[in-house]
Amino acid sequence: MGKDIFQLLRPQQWVKNGVVLAGLIFSGNAGHSDLAILALATTGLFCLLSSTVYIFNDIADIEADRNHPAKRNRPIASGRISKSTAMTIGIILGIIALAGLFLLSKGVFGIAAAYLLLNIFYSYFLKHVVIIDVMAIATGFVLRALAGAVVIHVQFSGWLLISTFLLALFLGFGKRRHELVLLDQDSKTHRKILEQYSPNLLDQLIAVVTPAVLICYLLYVISPEVEHKLGTPYLYLTAPFVIYGIFRYLYLIHQKEQGGSPTQVLLTDLPIIVTVILWLTTALLLLYVI
């Protein structure tokens, strides 16, 4: 039972909450222990809150998940955990997370509440609206990034917020494409919204979002405002890692038919792992050492 509950929380997905730390890192405040503790605490509580979201989503998708070759083995879809037990666990986790975030900051509590409501609305309605479904997911990433900035009282760069949103769109459309290819004729049975998509449409959407992500990030790293704020004119040196990371992910989507789980790619694809490490290391060196 304990193993099933742990799987129910989807801890492998917690890596997505790393975006909460972006405000700390890119504001130049990672060296302040008090602010770092606040940011890390917020990240941990968002992990619990995101698990609440995953539980509610699994409950809403129980029938569809049973038609998916991998998701059918999830605790709720397989019947190893009942819906009532899962709902109880989700509510408890949500209360703990929101209470903790309220104690940290009322502003962060407001953002977290908006994040939770957005995802509940997504689970039961927005996921059935073409394009809006992916945009809702992307908005969730922006809210997490905002929470990380608000808790340490720094202004988050508009360019970085837009980059976060566009990157999440890129990953989301890639995931939809993978689902279409993987499930083929059964795709509509698993996720009804997939009948509104086609590989050709998703390829076009990805083709639009990809340059937008790169251009937005490049504008961020060469912005005079950012240079003045962070005290380094060399942040553009992180751009090659972002460019390669995007291209590598496109390669995995189109040539390897991967991309169904961006988190799995991030944790298992060695070139992506190395790229992320190099990007983060370079950014930290530029912001805190050089």
Side-chain angles (χ1 to χ4, degrees), residues 20 23-24 27 29 34-36 38-39 42 103-108 111 145-156 229:
V20 175
L24 176 73
S27 66
N29 287 302
D34 54 337
L35 297 181
L38 282 174
T42 302
L103 292 175
L104 288 179
S105 165
K106 292 182 180 179
V108 174
I111 295 172
L146 274 175
V150 170
V151 77
I152 61 172
H153 305 290
V154 298
Q155 184 177 0
F156 207 97
K229 181 179 178 181

Side-chain angles (χ1 to χ4, degrees), residues 83-243:
K83 289 197 293 185
S84 59
T85 299
M87 180 65 74
T88 301
I89 294 172
I91 291 174
I92 292 173
L93 287 178
I95 291 173
I96 293 173
L98 290 175
L101 291 167
F102 181 81
L103 292 175
L104 288 179
S105 165
K106 292 182 180 179
V108 174
F109 170 79
I111 295 172
Y115 169 82
L116 181 60
L117 290 174
L118 170 68
N119 280 280
I120 292 175
F121 198 42
Y122 167 82
S123 295
Y124 292 93
F125 178 69
L126 295 180
K127 66 164 56 179
H128 305 300
V129 185
V130 66
I131 299 178
I132 295 297
D133 60 328
V134 180
M135 293 183 71
I137 295 173
T139 301
F141 278 89
V142 173
L143 289 175
R144 281 182 276 200
L146 274 175
V150 170
V151 77
I152 61 172
H153 305 290
V154 298
Q155 184 177 0
F156 207 97
S157 168
W159 286 116
L160 205 53
L161 282 178
I162 297 172
S163 296
T164 300
F165 180 76
L166 291 172
L167 179 60
L169 281 182
F170 170 77
L171 297 174
F173 288 136
K175 180 176 181 179
R176 289 289 183 266
R177 189 184 189 282
H178 178 267
E179 289 172 332
L180 276 176
V181 174
L182 173 67
L183 299 172
D184 195 20
Q185 298 301 319
D186 295 327
S187 61
K188 298 171 186 177
T189 303
H190 165 62
R191 194 188 294 275
K192 188 172 177 60
I193 189 61
L194 291 177
E195 68 184 13
Q196 301 295 325
Y197 288 107
S198 68
N200 182 56
L201 171 61
L202 289 165
D203 285 343
Q204 292 184 57
L205 292 173
I206 292 170
V208 170
V209 172
T210 300
V213 174
L214 296 176
I215 291 172
C216 195
Y217 185 77
L218 289 173
L219 288 173
Y220 167 72
V221 296
I222 64 174
S223 167
E225 175 188 354
V226 172
E227 177 183 337
H228 174 74
K229 181 179 178 181
L230 299 182
T232 175
Y234 303 114
L235 201 58
Y236 64 86
L237 293 176
T238 63
F241 303 114
V242 174
I243 294 171

Side-chain angles (χ1 to χ4, degrees), residues 221-288:
V221 296
I222 64 174
S223 167
E225 175 188 354
V226 172
E227 177 183 337
H228 174 74
K229 181 179 178 181
L230 299 182
T232 175
Y234 303 114
L235 201 58
Y236 64 86
L237 293 176
T238 63
F241 303 114
V242 174
I243 294 171
Y244 174 76
I246 294 290
F247 289 172
R248 173 68 185 179
Y249 201 81
L250 284 172
Y251 166 77
L252 295 175
I253 291 174
H254 292 282
Q255 297 299 116
K256 298 296 183 179
E257 296 185 354
Q258 298 180 27
S261 173
T263 303
Q264 183 178 2
V265 171
L266 179 62
L267 295 176
T268 60
D269 185 73
L270 183 57
I272 291 287
I273 294 172
V274 172
T275 300
V276 171
I277 292 174
L278 290 175
W279 169 77
L280 184 58
T281 301
T282 303
L284 290 174
L285 287 173
L286 293 173
L287 292 172
Y288 297 98

